[in-house]
Amino acid sequence: MVTLQGSAGGRPVAVAAGLRPTVGLDIGGTKTLAALLGPDGEVLAQARLRTEPGPDGVLASAVRAVHGVVRQVGLEVASLDGAGVGVPGLVGHADGTVRHAVNLGIDGAPMPLAGLLSRELGIGVVVDNDLNVAALGAAHLAPDAAVRPLDLAFLALGTGLAAGLVLDGVIRRGTGAAGEIGHVPIDPAGPLCPCGQRGCLELYASGSAVDRLWPSTTGRPAPVELFEAAAAGDTRAIEARSTYADAVAAAVRMLVLSVDVRRVVLGGGVAQLGEPLLVAVRAALERQVSGSAFLASLGLPDRVLLAPGEVPVAAVGAAVLARTADPGDD
């Protein structure tokens, strides 16, 4: 072992000979999260700062985040083995470009984010979709992460609904639509979805679905109000919670029955509810499998986990990607 200068939590940052840390970034419309990952897979430091809008702002925010997270442990950017970045929008993983990331103020011409950030930092940079790196981070942090290769889906319960997929230990990118289960219609007579179809799963299992199901009356997030009211015994809230949990459970079933992932990790804004959400979704799965010996044999409730709240999962995944990425993987 060789020891780099610096410390993490008062401990020396020990790095095996030939191996160096990597940094991962999760760049969102309002915040940029950073994680420094040691060669042994341990999260050595993490940081959070505001994302500046527009291509120049995004680049500046990313540079500050990398410098800030390595500074916490007394390292220099030059000591890194590379950086990974997760961003929303249309991402060209092979060439490191980002398009149509409207929440970041990136529209029109593709932004060569990997190349620009690499030039600023002096290290290699790889860029991928935020859901892809979230799935990779969830697989890295999963309790059975030692099982290799690991199949896992990261189900993002946010404004929309989509999943990042890690299959046989590799991110499944496809041609760009992998994991877009939110736009699988489950009710042809249902309401019109922005995608042009009717009754899409996203209309029932996303965070936006909770807003429609149980509108906030206090300005707090609708999922919080709904689950608090249900816990207090409000019968309408209990029914609404059950309706929502059933829809999320349907998404879990869809992922398991289509690609047989070992784990489905609940993430996104609604997952910040924590244990109450997990309990509700597992209970919904128990109800749904009760009449089917086939479904019961799959152990669906035990496959569902919550994304850990103490670390930025997508940033961790981006740091993993920085040390394992092969642009040819799809």
Side-chain angles (χ1 to χ4, degrees), residues 1-2 4 7-8 11-24 34-46 69-70 73 75 79-82 140-141 148 311 315-324:
M1 300 286 286
V2 295
L4 300 179
S7 63
R11 297 174 289 101
V13 179
V15 180
L19 298 176
R20 295 184 293 172
T22 56
V23 164
L36 176 65
L37 199 68
D40 61 354
E42 181 182 2
V43 178
L44 303 176
Q46 50 186 300
V69 78
V70 298
V73 295
L75 298 179
S79 67
L80 298 175
D81 203 31
H140 179 76
L141 297 167
R148 292 290 187 245
V311 293
V316 170
V320 172
L321 184 67
R323 66 183 190 181
T324 62

Side-chain angles (χ1 to χ4, degrees), residues 28 51 71 84 90 97 120 133 135 161 172 203 209 220 228 235 238 252 281 291 293 300 318:
T51 301
R71 191 181 303 122
L90 299 180
T97 58
E120 290 287 332
V133 296
L161 178 77
R172 174 59 183 172
L203 300 175
R220 293 184 302 155
E228 283 185 356
T235 54
I238 292 172
V252 172
V281 173
L300 293 175

Side-chain angles (χ1 to χ4, degrees), residues 33-78:
L33 304 176
L36 176 65
L37 199 68
D40 61 354
E42 181 182 2
V43 178
L44 303 176
Q46 50 186 300
R48 171 177 175 154
L49 70 158
R50 188 167 68 90
T51 301
E52 300 293 337
D56 291 341
V58 167
L59 180 61
S61 300
V63 171
R64 287 200 305 275
V66 172
H67 281 286
V69 78
V70 298
R71 191 181 303 122
Q72 289 184 39
V73 295
L75 298 179
E76 298 292 335
V77 172

Side-chain angles (χ1 to χ4, degrees), residues 21 116 127 133 172 186 196 208-209 246 256 265 306 328:
L116 292 172
V127 178
V133 296
R172 174 59 183 172
I186 59 173
S208 299
D246 282 341
V256 173
V265 177
L306 284 172

